[in-house]
Amino acid sequence: MKLRPYMLIGFFLSILLSILPVASNLTIAATPTPAVTPVSGLSFTQGVQKTVLDNGLTVLTKEVHTAPVVSVQVWYKVGSRNEAKGENGISHQLEHLMFKGTTDRPVQFGRLFSALGSQFNAFTSYDETAYFGTVERNKLEALLTLEADRMKNALIEPEQLISEKRVVISELQGYENSPNYRLSRAVMRNAFPNCAYGLPVGGTKADVEQFTLEQVRNYYQKYYSPDNATLVITGDFATEPTINVVQTTFGKLPRTDQEDKGIRKELDKNTASKAPIVLKEPGSAALLQAVYPLPDINHPDVPAIDVMDAILTGGRSSRLYQALVESGLASSISGSAVELIEPGWYEITATAAPGQKLAKITEVLQTSLSKLQQQPVSPGELNRAKTQLQAAFVLGNQDITSQANQLGYSQTIAGDYHYIEKYLAAIAQVTPADIQKVAKTYLNPAKQTIGYFEPTQLDGQAGTTDASSGRTVENFDPGKPVDPAELAKYLPPVTTSTDTNKQSLPQQLSLTNGLRVLLLPDRSVPTINLSGQIDAGSEFDGNPKAGLASLTAINLMNGTKTKDALTLAQTLEDRGASLNFGAGREGVNISGQGLSANLPIIMQTLADVLQNAAFPNDQLELSRQRALISLKAQLDDPSGLGRRVFQQAIYPANHPFHSFPTAESLNSITRNDVVNFYRNHYRPDTTTLALVGDFDPVQVKELLNQSLGKWQAIGQPRTLKSPTVSLPPTLTRINKAIPGKAEAVTYIGYNGISRKDPRYYAALVLNQILGGDTLSSRLGTEVRDRLGLTYGIYSGFAAGINPGPFVIQMQTAPGDANQAIASTLALLKQLRQQGVTEAELNTAKRSITNSYPVNLANPSDVSSIILDNAVVGLSPTEIREFPQRIQSVNMAEIQQAIQDLIKPENLVIVTAGTLNTASQGN
């Protein structure tokens, strides 16, 4: 019943090249299992106050005074469920238009949110459309004013609708690039032939093209109303004065009293497809999707269904992972129970391993489901599933944004913000008999709809590459940059700024073996967030063995001298904890999470795999096959292939950043290669760990010495000296064709700067102006907002220990790629020739510094920030001093950064997509 990522569609405005983890601060009654220490004294809804205004608006407020930030969310009870025939996607189209401005504020709302330093977002799903922003606490009233304004006064005019239709179609065409999306669409249409749930949330191109102004306006007026909405406010505020502000801003809006127009029709058991739906299209791997009808979210079977799902697909120890992935039949397996306002569904998806048949996977899948129906699950299995579900809610709600999400979801979909606690109490009571009952009831083969994707092209290498120095077809004259002074008159007033100089600093220590540790206690939530890096990244691969660092990292959890892979997995999964390793360019990333009571288990497991990994041959072969499937998927994806071609074009063959795995390099890697890489590069003196959460530093230091103090390294660590990278002498255009893709992806850029480059802070501010946000930046304003050529366009500096690429990325329709590229080049030339204004500079600095406290409000984010700072050699005080460094950037530094770092005549431009894209001129 949780908010599920695949259900959401819309503006997910993540910053290119950086990932911000999401989590929050809740609790649950503990499951009666010996494997986990009960979490007590916490409540998901404790302190929540519900207020209903006279106009019907439901307001949920929850004070959380752990950080000086607040989250404001507006949840409308309207989604694709409410759409009539011929208007599939109108909820999503309207969501886009809600950012185009209002009668009183006829400007892009993304720019207003960005000026406030808000981390903002929106999504459309089956039952709901939601808008949310998280800001410093002094921006609360401003955020409420903006949300109230667009609830009733959104500008929905011909010009906005035309441009935003193009943007939505670009988004939908981007999804069309994915075989998983195309298979899911076909399966859902068959499973729900007479219900809106069977249609894509984002809509269809045919319907979107036909939307009229009157249609969209009527939909807005019908559903965007206070009596059809829930306003959620969480964070560092006082309830009573805030409710007064809500009364002033939202209370004056009229209600519409529209009844819920969802089309309530249960899936007829006779409509399930008996024969598999088969798609034979270009793609990289064979896929399976099976769908079974489920009841609605308030049905009493829902808790048992979710426990059943955890037993089947909850981690490596789950039944389907063991039956399909560990056996070598599938490279991945996942499951999800979709419980909604109306009857939903359970879906299982699998990707076949190389050479394996979907029919065989289906047979093993059905055998596993039948066994679940016929035999009771063991107490250990049941407790593990319950613990995973409960721990996931605590770990997934460490920040106020996620807490508001949970409240909004429960109130809107289940009709009661207390739902989550009732649900978790019911989880604790689920019995083996309950699991058997729901398995028999809902995993019925007669009610199953199953689909197969059978790729017609498996190598992902079709098409030609054309590299040349030249120009794009069109010349483009960009409009004038948005004047922040003009923007400022539409911003609501803001109270006095908050003090951001109170951030606690991490304690630093080094073990006698050289291992570095940063500790930052945070007692606000009973959780542990571990981040780490080992200098054993893919920069040490070399082209002949490209993929070696990654294979080594992903095999760490495949067994040690005393524990096999399943034992390692169960040790963590029994407690709802996780520990993962992945190789990046400059290091192996370590990430771990768990309830604070399980810190010893996480650290002991970490210590075991770092010192005693065994690399069994059978597991190495399985991981190799999964890597080969991932490689095929990357080569079949315009984003993946485009990034590879781009990076290999800007870095010479002897540079570590040029190297990418190939089928030949992956197949050449032996177990001896992996063992030797592990012995040579996994060392305490090249390892850094950062721990943020609920712990006693004295006890943690003792634990570290016990578990990792005896880890020793021999000799000196290996180092690399990367060759100097020159910019291309002229503009270079490379086109790469992939058949069967509806949307092209373009990368534009060259080698950039390192994190310790003295121009780094100026580059960050410059990038914020240029392309740091697809709604408020110059690139976004022109290429996305005004011209409607792309769903998303971003720029970023990938600045690590070594200089990484400066890159601009966008997705476009094949026919729009050249104009979007020409527009981008013209904007870069304009920036080079005219520079930026003082108002742009100040607005960009405020946007970065105002949003920084939001990052610091999430313990998971903080662990990543302090780790990254340490790895690149920055002072521990950087986490506190970062805003001041941004604020100190002056115009002279910005103009110098433009001259040094913006070189339109030296760009590498790579476009990957359909054949007609790649065959266009230069």
Side-chain angles (χ1 to χ4, degrees):
M1 56 71 54
K2 291 180 292 183
L3 194 62
R4 303 180 189 279
Y6 70 86
M7 293 166 55
L8 314 179
I9 190 167
F11 291 118
F12 275 81
L13 307 175
S14 55
I15 298 172
L16 185 69
L17 306 173
S18 71
I19 299 172
L20 301 178
V22 176
S24 128
N25 164 25
L26 318 172
T27 79
I28 40 204
T31 307
T33 165
V36 64
T37 302
V39 178
S40 60
L42 289 171
S43 168
F44 286 95
T45 60
Q46 184 177 2
V48 175
Q49 177 175 313
K50 179 179 178 180
T51 306
V52 180
L53 304 190
D54 290 343
N55 59 8
L57 179 69
T58 298
V59 185
L60 301 178
T61 53
K62 181 182 182 182
E63 296 184 27
V64 184
H65 300 288
T66 55
V69 296
V70 290
S71 186
V72 172
Q73 306 192 3
V74 182
W75 290 65
Y76 295 94
K77 193 176 179 181
V78 59
S80 59
R81 176 182 73 100
N82 303 87
E83 296 165 358
K85 185 177 181 181
E87 60 179 26
N88 179 219
I90 194 169
S91 303
H92 175 229
Q93 180 70 73
L94 179 55
E95 175 218 315
H96 277 244
L97 289 165
M98 289 288 283
F99 285 85
K100 301 296 271 188
T102 64
T103 308
D104 293 337
R105 294 180 173 87
V107 292
Q108 166 57 254
F109 261 44
R111 291 183 212 127
L112 298 178
F113 292 137
S114 182
L116 291 173
S118 175
Q119 290 190 2
F120 64 97
N121 227 320
F123 68 82
T124 305
S125 190
Y126 298 103
D127 294 333
E128 78 276 19
T129 307
Y131 303 83
F132 43 102
T134 303
V135 292
E136 286 182 288
R137 63 189 172 201
N138 63 311
K139 314 293 194 317
L140 172 57
E141 185 170 344
L143 214 50
L144 290 170
T145 302
L146 292 175
E147 288 295 355
D149 189 18
R150 65 174 173 175
M151 180 177 276
K152 279 297 182 185
N153 304 312
L155 269 182
I156 302 175
E157 300 294 339
E159 183 182 346
Q160 283 94 345
L161 181 58
I162 289 169
S163 70
E164 215 57 32
K165 273 187 181 183
R166 291 188 72 179
V167 171
V168 167
I169 290 170
S170 171
E171 180 182 356
L172 298 180
Q173 296 293 89
Y175 300 138
E176 289 288 334
N177 284 351
S178 165
N180 299 75
Y181 175 84
R182 302 199 300 271
L183 176 62
S184 178
R185 182 179 57 195
V187 170
M188 290 298 291
R189 281 176 174 170
N190 275 268
F192 287 78
N194 303 308
C195 177
Y197 284 163
L199 297 173
V201 171
T204 60
K205 182 181 178 184
D207 279 5
V208 170
E209 287 175 334
Q210 300 303 315
F211 291 153
T212 66
L213 196 63
E214 182 183 23
Q215 206 178 0
V216 179
R217 281 177 175 171
N218 287 342
Y219 200 81
Y220 170 62
Q221 290 162 6
K222 180 177 183 178
Y223 290 110
Y224 278 62
S225 173
D227 49 307
N228 195 46
T230 297
L231 169 66
V232 186
I233 308 168
T234 56
D236 193 17
F237 65 95
T239 300
E240 187 176 345
T242 298
I243 291 295
N244 291 335
V245 174
V246 172
Q247 288 279 10
T248 303
T249 51
F250 286 89
K252 61 189 177 184
L253 303 177
R255 61 190 297 150
T256 59
D257 290 312
Q258 284 289 340
E259 60 180 295
D260 188 345
K261 296 292 185 182
I263 303 166
R264 288 179 170 77
K265 180 177 176 64
E266 288 204 33
L267 177 62
D268 190 301
K269 62 183 179 182
N270 296 319
T271 64
S273 176
K274 297 297 186 291
I277 299 151
V278 180
L279 297 186
K280 294 188 177 183
E281 299 173 358
S284 59
L287 309 171
L288 172 150
Q289 181 176 15
V291 166
Y292 305 83
L294 288 184
D296 64 76
I297 190 170
N298 283 306
H299 193 282
D301 284 347
V302 161
I305 290 168
D306 286 0
V307 176
M308 176 189 75
D309 172 44
I311 289 168
L312 286 172
T313 65
R316 187 168 190 165
S317 61
S318 66
R319 290 195 176 193
L320 291 184
Y321 191 98
Q322 289 295 311
L324 293 171
V325 180
E326 292 288 4
S327 68
L329 287 173
S331 65
S332 67
I333 180 77
S334 65
S336 194
V338 184
E339 293 122 352
L340 305 169
I341 290 176
E342 296 174 31
W345 62 93
Y346 182 62
E347 67 180 35
I348 297 171
T349 59
T351 302
Q356 297 296 336
K357 300 296 183 185
L358 293 172
K360 178 62 176 176
I361 293 174
T362 305
E363 179 186 332
V364 174
L365 170 63
Q366 191 53 56
T367 299
S368 297
L369 299 184
S370 297
K371 184 178 179 182
L372 188 65
Q373 293 167 334
Q374 293 161 12
Q375 300 174 15
V377 298
S378 69
E381 220 177 354
L382 181 63
N383 284 340
R384 183 183 310 127
K386 291 180 181 183
T387 303
Q388 286 177 344
L389 284 170
Q390 294 179 332
F393 277 97
V394 179
L395 294 166
N397 287 278
Q398 295 182 85
D399 67 283
I400 62 163
T401 301
S402 299
Q403 291 178 52
N405 258 315
Q406 187 64 66
L407 291 171
Y409 186 81
S410 294
Q411 181 65 35
T412 305
I413 311 306
D416 179 6
Y417 73 90
H418 289 291
Y419 177 85
I420 180 59
E421 290 178 326
K422 298 174 184 175
Y423 166 85
L424 288 167
I427 289 284
Q429 301 303 315
V430 171
T431 66
D434 294 331
I435 300 298
Q436 268 189 286
K437 175 197 163 191
V438 295
K440 288 177 181 177
T441 303
Y442 301 109
L443 301 181
N444 185 342
K447 298 179 181 179
Q448 176 194 69
T449 304
I450 193 166
Y452 294 160
F453 181 89
E454 297 178 353
T456 57
Q457 177 168 344
L458 289 171
D459 60 11
Q461 299 277 9
T464 57
T465 299
D466 168 36
S468 65
S469 299
R471 299 171 182 164
T472 52
V473 173
E474 300 97 338
N475 291 316
F476 180 75
D477 185 20
K480 291 183 179 179
V482 175
D483 181 4
E486 178 71 13
L487 192 68
K489 70 184 184 184
Y490 298 116
L491 281 168
V494 172
T495 58
T496 314
S497 181
T498 42
D499 181 8
T500 58
N501 202 34
K502 294 181 179 179
Q503 171 62 39
S504 300
L505 299 180
Q507 302 177 33
Q508 285 192 104
L509 65 128
S510 293
L511 305 190
T512 55
N513 56 15
L515 189 147
R516 289 191 300 164
V517 184
L518 299 108
L519 301 176
L520 187 58
D522 178 352
R523 297 302 179 91
S524 61
V525 194
T527 59
I528 293 297
N529 297 275
L530 170 70
S531 298
Q533 181 165 315
I534 307 166
D535 297 344
S538 60
E539 64 184 1
F540 292 107
D541 278 355
N543 286 317
K545 298 289 184 181
L548 174 58
S550 181
L551 271 183
T552 305
I554 61 179
N555 273 277
L556 289 173
M557 294 294 290
N558 280 338
T560 65
K561 293 175 182 177
T562 57
K563 296 179 179 178
D564 62 14
L566 180 58
T567 303
L568 285 172
Q570 287 178 339
T571 298
L572 295 170
E573 291 170 8
D574 280 350
R575 295 159 173 84
S578 64
L579 182 62
N580 298 291
F581 300 86
R585 286 287 173 188
E586 296 184 331
V588 169
N589 304 310
I590 304 168
S591 61
Q593 275 196 323
L595 302 180
S596 50
N598 296 317
L599 176 59
I601 291 293
I602 295 172
M603 295 306 299
Q604 288 159 14
T605 305
L606 173 67
D608 193 16
V609 298
L610 289 181
Q611 298 171 85
N612 304 309
F615 304 106
N617 266 317
D618 57 342
Q619 291 290 346
L620 180 60
E621 286 308 310
L622 288 174
S623 61
R624 188 199 313 273
Q625 295 306 308
R626 291 195 286 271
L628 289 166
I629 283 286
S630 296
L631 172 64
K632 286 184 176 181
Q634 183 190 68
L635 297 177
D636 185 56
D637 173 40
S639 295
L641 180 61
R643 184 60 189 249
R644 173 185 287 238
V645 173
F646 170 76
Q647 202 143 311
Q648 291 187 327
I650 62 176
Y651 294 107
N654 63 339
H655 194 285
F657 289 6
H658 181 93
S659 174
F660 280 85
T662 64
E664 292 73 24
S665 70
L666 288 171
N667 282 316
S668 75
I669 295 170
T670 66
R671 181 178 179 276
N672 280 341
D673 292 329
V674 171
V675 171
N676 288 334
F677 191 90
Y678 175 68
R679 288 173 178 165
N680 291 331
H681 296 288
Y682 282 71
R683 311 166 49 102
D685 52 351
T686 62
T687 299
T688 305
L689 300 177
L691 194 64
V692 175
D694 181 22
F695 59 80
D696 179 339
V698 174
Q699 293 177 351
V700 169
K701 290 172 189 176
E702 184 179 345
L703 178 61
L704 287 165
N705 278 307
Q706 289 174 355
S707 58
L708 287 161
K710 295 179 182 178
W711 186 19
Q712 296 298 322
I714 300 172
Q716 293 300 309
R718 301 195 177 190
T719 57
L720 285 177
K721 184 170 177 58
S722 298
T724 303
V725 179
S726 303
L727 295 182
T730 58
L731 184 145
T732 303
R733 180 80 187 269
I734 302 171
N735 293 322
K736 187 70 177 176
I738 312 177
K741 300 302 173 186
E743 197 81 342
V745 176
T746 297
Y747 291 89
I748 302 173
Y750 35 62
N751 189 44
I753 59 175
S754 71
R755 176 61 178 86
K756 293 187 80 173
D757 190 297
R759 299 166 295 183
Y760 174 76
Y761 299 99
L764 271 190
V765 176
L766 172 61
N767 186 70
Q768 181 69 19
I769 297 169
L770 174 63
D773 186 300
T774 199
L775 294 186
S776 63
S777 64
R778 285 196 183 186
L779 287 170
T781 298
E782 283 291 335
V783 184
R784 184 198 188 282
D785 213 36
R786 190 169 77 85
L787 300 174
L789 295 174
T790 178
Y791 168 57
I793 182 166
Y794 304 92
S795 64
F797 288 89
I801 299 170
N802 298 296
F806 163 70
V807 61
I808 298 168
Q809 179 185 355
M810 59 183 156
Q811 73 171 48
T812 60
D816 290 339
N818 279 345
Q819 186 186 353
I821 291 167
S823 304
T824 300
L825 294 184
L827 282 162
L828 292 174
K829 290 173 184 174
Q830 180 191 66
L831 181 64
R832 176 96 180 167
Q833 292 162 5
Q834 300 176 16
V836 303
T837 67
E838 196 75 40
E840 279 185 302
L841 170 61
N842 292 331
T843 299
K845 292 197 295 186
R846 280 198 304 271
S847 179
I848 295 171
T849 56
N850 287 346
S851 66
Y852 187 63
V854 179
N855 296 338
L856 299 184
N858 186 334
S860 179
D861 285 358
V862 172
S863 70
S864 298
I865 291 170
I866 62 177
L867 173 75
D868 293 344
N869 289 344
V871 165
V872 297
L874 301 176
S875 164
T877 60
E878 172 68 16
I879 192 170
R880 179 183 289 171
E881 296 169 353
F882 175 81
Q884 287 74 40
R885 297 188 194 281
I886 292 293
Q887 284 293 357
S888 68
V889 172
N890 58 43
M891 182 60 78
E893 290 170 324
I894 285 288
Q895 302 295 22
Q896 188 61 52
I898 292 171
Q899 297 306 308
D900 292 349
L901 303 176
I902 304 299
K903 307 277 188 180
E905 66 278 7
N906 303 114
L907 291 165
V908 171
I909 304 172
V910 174
T911 299
T914 53
L915 285 165
N916 65 326
T917 302
S919 63
Q920 290 177 5
N922 298 299

